[in-house]
Amino acid sequence: MFETQRLTVARIEDEHLDDLYHVYLSNSDYLRITEGTPDGVGVYTRDQMLRDLQVAEWTGRTSLGVFRREDRKLIGVLEYWERSDTDGMPWLGLLMIHRDCQRRGFGRESAEGFLQWVVARGWPEVRLGVVEENVDALPFWRALGFREYERKEKRFPSGVKQVICLRYEPAP
């Protein structure tokens, strides 16, 4: 799909599924917020991840792996819709980097690479939603140029959550 200086963002193959599952498990705060588990471990199973990937495909989302270029190790996941089933707009559904690889610029590099790819495709904007409890995510996305346009409630396995909707509009 696209490459950056240190990363390749590409299709996830069957051989990457164990590494992908470990990316999810390493982000226990995200699992707590979305799945409702206190520690994120033991409740979100590999089978649930596989089901979520299948549902993503059925609903038009594209799930990609974030790989280090140096060793082709999967360190994250990026999921997007070219046309969301709710509003017909492009959405970035998820960007998650393995906890052991966070705070090294991989999240920013993959997000910036995605936005460059969006611009090259001529998309008028890209949207994303951040669960209000995910306090680290809002400053991250705002620093990349995303601006809030709406707040709404969404049901997760962990319950109904307030979601802050943001949009990025490329400069003309």
Side-chain angles (χ1 to χ4, degrees), residues 113-123 170:
F114 177 74
L115 294 176
Q116 290 171 2
W117 183 76
V118 162
V119 168
R121 293 182 62 106
W123 291 1

Side-chain angles (χ1 to χ4, degrees), residues 32-134:
R32 180 188 51 76
I33 291 169
T34 61
E35 300 298 320
T37 64
D39 59 5
V41 178
V43 173
Y44 190 74
T45 66
R46 189 176 189 277
D47 285 341
Q48 286 173 299
M49 180 195 73
L50 294 173
R51 179 209 59 212
D52 290 347
L53 289 171
Q54 186 64 59
V55 169
E57 185 178 320
W58 289 339
T59 59
R61 292 177 287 184
T62 301
S63 298
L64 301 170
V66 178
F67 300 88
R68 285 190 307 230
R69 287 179 70 181
E70 66 181 328
D71 59 6
R72 284 290 291 162
K73 170 85 172 147
L74 185 137
I75 62 163
V77 60
L78 184 150
E79 183 180 284
Y80 73 92
W81 288 269
E82 188 164 350
R83 283 181 53 96
S84 138
D85 54 353
T86 57
D87 63 9
M89 296 302 296
W91 278 74
L92 177 58
L94 177 65
L95 174 60
M96 182 187 302
I97 302 296
H98 193 288
R99 178 158 310 280
D100 293 347
C101 296
Q102 292 177 8
R103 307 282 183 220
R104 298 184 196 172
F106 291 125
R108 181 182 251 321
E109 188 173 329
S110 52
E112 288 174 344
F114 177 74
L115 294 176
Q116 290 171 2
W117 183 76
V118 162
V119 168
R121 293 182 62 106
W123 291 1
E125 67 180 61
V126 65
R127 298 177 177 188
L128 61 83
V130 174
V131 178
E132 190 173 50
E133 292 174 56
N134 192 351

